[in-house]
Amino acid sequence: MSLFNEWQELCEKERPQEEDTKFWNQYLEKEAKIYESILESHEEVIEGKLVELAEKFDMEPVVFAGFMDGINTSLEKAVNLEELSEDSNISLKVDFEKLYYNMLDAKAHWLYNLPQWDNVLTRERRKEILKEYNKAHIAVSNKVGRNEPCICGSGKKYKKCCGA
């Protein structure tokens, strides 16, 4: 079984609420530390075997595979998660604008508000990315208003024609 599959099983494991909360809080704390490290050294690419990187960031290899799941879409070259093993060579070459956008999308405020972002992307650029994100997530309705012209082309108001 691949590390990624083990991670998925670990996530789906039935456990009491208190234990589940503790598991996720510990994971999110370690995740934030990894992102802090990546952002602090944003000019260098973090590389190595998965087991070495997991050890470096004080995680079990299975849990680091879970971290890879979260960052994978923000990497310049995505990793095949199904093939991850302890001996897999990992390169964390990150597209930081995409990472910021993905953090917004995941609603990970504990990550996109890290102070280390100040050295990676300017406040202005982060505001632009937030605008792009908000624009992409505007709800669009195809509903015709009562007082708009009817969609049948009669020239009458919708409420007096097809909406009656």
Side-chain angles (χ1 to χ4, degrees), residues 91-151:
S91 175
L92 297 178
K93 190 169 186 180
V94 179
D95 177 339
F96 289 100
E97 291 189 1
K98 199 172 187 182
L99 177 63
Y100 191 77
Y101 186 94
N102 289 338
M103 286 178 174
L104 290 169
D105 196 35
K107 296 174 181 35
H109 58 86
W110 63 94
L111 298 176
Y112 64 74
N113 286 325
L114 289 171
Q116 288 82 357
W117 277 110
D118 292 339
N119 299 323
V120 180
L121 298 173
T122 64
R123 285 196 187 278
E124 293 76 28
R125 183 61 190 134
R126 285 181 280 164
K127 284 182 183 178
E128 289 172 14
I129 294 170
L130 178 60
K131 282 183 183 178
E132 291 169 20
Y133 170 77
N134 288 337
K135 188 175 180 181
H137 290 82
I138 292 174
V140 178
S141 173
N142 293 333
K143 185 176 176 185
V144 179
R146 290 175 30 89
N147 290 316
E148 292 180 26
C150 189
I151 54 174

Side-chain angles (χ1 to χ4, degrees), residues 6-76:
E6 287 181 46
W7 167 251
Q8 289 179 315
E9 281 187 11
L10 186 62
C11 291
E12 296 167 0
K13 181 180 175 184
E14 290 290 324
R15 49 185 162 249
Q17 180 66 40
E18 188 175 302
E19 190 179 315
D20 194 54
T21 301
K22 182 180 177 186
F23 170 80
W24 285 109
N25 286 341
Q26 287 175 343
Y27 171 77
L28 295 175
E29 186 178 314
K30 288 181 180 185
E31 178 190 46
K33 287 182 181 176
I34 294 174
Y35 280 115
E36 287 172 359
S37 177
I38 289 171
L39 294 171
E40 285 171 359
S41 58
H42 68 279
E43 292 177 353
E44 58 185 77
V45 178
I46 298 171
E47 295 179 307
K49 292 196 180 297
L50 184 137
V51 69
E52 295 165 353
L53 294 176
E55 189 176 307
K56 175 182 177 179
F57 294 114
D58 191 32
M59 284 184 153
E60 295 294 319
V62 171
V63 178
F64 193 79
F67 170 77
M68 289 301 300
D69 181 31
I71 198 171
N72 201 29
T73 57
S74 302
L75 297 176
E76 289 185 10

Side-chain angles (χ1 to χ4, degrees), residues 76-95:
E76 289 185 10
K77 185 178 178 198
V79 174
N80 184 339
L81 297 172
E82 295 292 330
E83 294 177 3
L84 280 181
S85 70
E86 291 187 6
D87 293 328
S88 297
N89 287 314
I90 304 293
S91 175
L92 297 178
K93 190 169 186 180
V94 179
D95 177 339

